[in-house]
């Protein structure tokens, strides 16, 4: 019994000594896998392609703004979103609620909001501009807000909605982009190291035909309908007079509303969104070009911006020595004091400025009321027979 007791004691001591070491190695390996990922930032390109001025295309704008609202809620900032709306339904004269776009009937959810930043609007939404945004071939004068400044560590979500057919997608009802042109644009992005992984989602009739020609790696695609099928609208609203959304994007939005930044929902869950019993059309997806298992790809890898954080115990000095004042050449007496950030903008002076006096204007109807009063007094005093002396 003494021998077995000694053996048990030695095994217990061995376990106590080496377990922390093994656990430390496990954590280091997990951390190494975590930070060895090529994904460090997220971008989104969201496009509504409907023709300018067509009120019945209201749902396409609502589709795009719904996805825009979801990706912003999950952490992708406006600086990493390129929003292209071919029509401004919020300001359309037929909109009974100006400055709003609703995605649910009875006007329950306004997806336009107060902080929508539209980068391309109206006739700026063209095939040429769309391809230039993807490939980065923009004029030097193009502002940063209209650029897709991604790199080889960027995961990009591209969402398109509008009218399409077998192998093409309409832009403004005046031009088209083919599935081959789109495939070549993605290949240019890959060759120019503009993405790490790319998720393509399209809600249009015969949407699956648009990803048939894709051949670039690390690309996953979803569509609302198969070849030969229509993508149907959803939720007619009597007050607005049109359908508010398309079926596929409506159920996609419902799914995304349940996702939060720490959610473990993966792409396989996204594939189940809007089955044929709900969409009527048959949603499709393509994963053969994607290197990872879709079950291991989190929804937030594309729809969110969950940043990787590395914890360190090392002390980092963030302070820097103060630079001496800069002297002008040729003069030792004259000096230029270096301004701090606060001094460069006199905020205090701006805040305490007196408001500018506005020019006085008579209220609406004041002049008309004054003339009415003058005529009434004239009629009571002189009668209508003296009216000819006025004119």
């Amino acid at each position: 019994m003494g021998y077995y007791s000694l053996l048990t004691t030695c095994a217990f001591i061995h376990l106590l000594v080496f377990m922390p070491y093994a656990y430390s190695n496990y954590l280091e390996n997990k951390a190494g896998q975590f930070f060895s990922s090529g994904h460090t930032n997220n971008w989104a390109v969201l496009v509504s392609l409907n023709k300018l001025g067509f009120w019945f295309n209201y749902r396409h704008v609502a589709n795009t703004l719904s996805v825009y609202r979801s990706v912003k809620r999950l952490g992708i900032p406006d600086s990493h979103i390129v929003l292209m709306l071919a029509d401004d339904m919020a300001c359309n004269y037929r909109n009974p609620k100006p400055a709003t776009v609703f995605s649910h009937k009875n006007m329950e959810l306004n997806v336009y909001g107060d902080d929508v930043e539209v980068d391309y609007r109206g006739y700026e939404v063209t095939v040429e501009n769309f391809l230039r945004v993807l490939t980065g071939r923009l004029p030097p004068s193009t502002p940063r807000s209209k650029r897709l400044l991604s790199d080889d560590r960027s995961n990009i979500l591209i969402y398109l909605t509008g009218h399409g057919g077998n192998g093409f997608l309409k832009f403004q009802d005046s031009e088209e982009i083919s599935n081959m042109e789109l495939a070549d644009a993605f290949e240019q992005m890959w060759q120019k190291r503009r993405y790490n992984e790319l998720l393509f989602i399209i809600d249009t009739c015969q949407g699956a035909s648009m990803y048939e020609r894709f051949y670039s790696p690390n690309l996953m695609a979803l569509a609302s309908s198969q070849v030969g099928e229509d993508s149907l609208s959803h939720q007619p609203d009597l007050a607005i007079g049109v359908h508010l959304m398309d079926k596929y994007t409506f159920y996609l939005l419902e799914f995304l509303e349940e996702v939060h930044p720490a959610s473990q929902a993966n792409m396989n869950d996204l594939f189940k969104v809007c089955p044929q019993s709900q969409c009527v059309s048959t949603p499709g997806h393509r994963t053969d070009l994607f290197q990872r298992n879709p079950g291991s790809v989190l929804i937030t890898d594309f729809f969110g911006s969950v940043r990787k954080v590395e914890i360190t115990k090392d002390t980092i000095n963030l302070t820097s020595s103060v630079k001496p004042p800069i002297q002008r050449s040729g003069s030792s007496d004259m000096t230029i004091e270096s301004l701090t950030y606060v001094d460069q903008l006199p905020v205090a002076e701006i805040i305490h400025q007196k408001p500018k006096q506005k020019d006085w204007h008579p209220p609406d109807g004041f002049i008309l009321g004054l003339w009415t009063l003058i005529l009434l007094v004239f009629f009571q005093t002189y009668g209508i027979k003296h009216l000819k002396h006025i004119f």
Side-chain angles (χ1 to χ4, degrees), residues 43-116:
W43 287 79
V45 181
L46 313 176
V47 190
S48 169
L49 310 167
N50 52 278
K51 184 176 181 180
L52 186 66
F54 277 33
W55 179 245
F56 61 82
N57 288 326
Y58 182 100
R59 65 187 186 278
H60 297 151
V61 176
N63 290 344
T64 310
L65 290 174
S66 297
V67 179
Y68 172 81
R69 173 181 176 274
S70 295
V71 297
K72 282 191 67 174
R73 181 181 62 83
L74 291 172
I76 300 182
D78 269 313
S79 59
H80 283 210
I81 300 175
V82 179
L83 181 61
M84 307 177 77
L85 299 181
D87 205 347
D88 192 359
M89 295 302 179
C91 298
N92 193 293
Y93 68 93
R94 282 171 289 190
N95 192 343
K97 294 286 186 179
T100 60
V101 175
F102 295 97
S103 63
H104 285 60
K105 60 183 180 181
N106 301 325
M107 303 182 183
E108 294 176 359
L109 180 59
N110 175 23
V111 292
Y112 196 76
D114 299 326
D115 57 348
V116 174

Side-chain angles (χ1 to χ4, degrees), residues 165-168 178-184 186 200 202 206-216 219 221-223 225-228 284-286 288-289:
N166 189 355
F168 69 91
S178 68
N179 53 7
M180 198 66 227
E181 290 172 325
L182 190 59
D184 290 341
F186 290 158
F200 174 77
I202 184 168
Q206 308 191 61
S209 65
M210 291 303 295
Y211 61 63
E212 288 179 342
R213 299 295 184 91
F214 291 172
Y215 56 93
S216 304
L219 196 152
L222 293 89
S225 57
Q226 298 292 331
V227 177
H285 59 271
R286 183 178 175 187
D288 58 296
L289 299 171

Side-chain angles (χ1 to χ4, degrees), residues 199-202 211 220-224 248 267 270-271 284-285:
L199 175 63
F200 174 77
I201 300 179
I202 184 168
Y211 61 63
M220 187 187 305
L222 293 89
S224 60
Y248 181 79
M267 297 306 298
L270 185 63
F271 296 157
H285 59 271

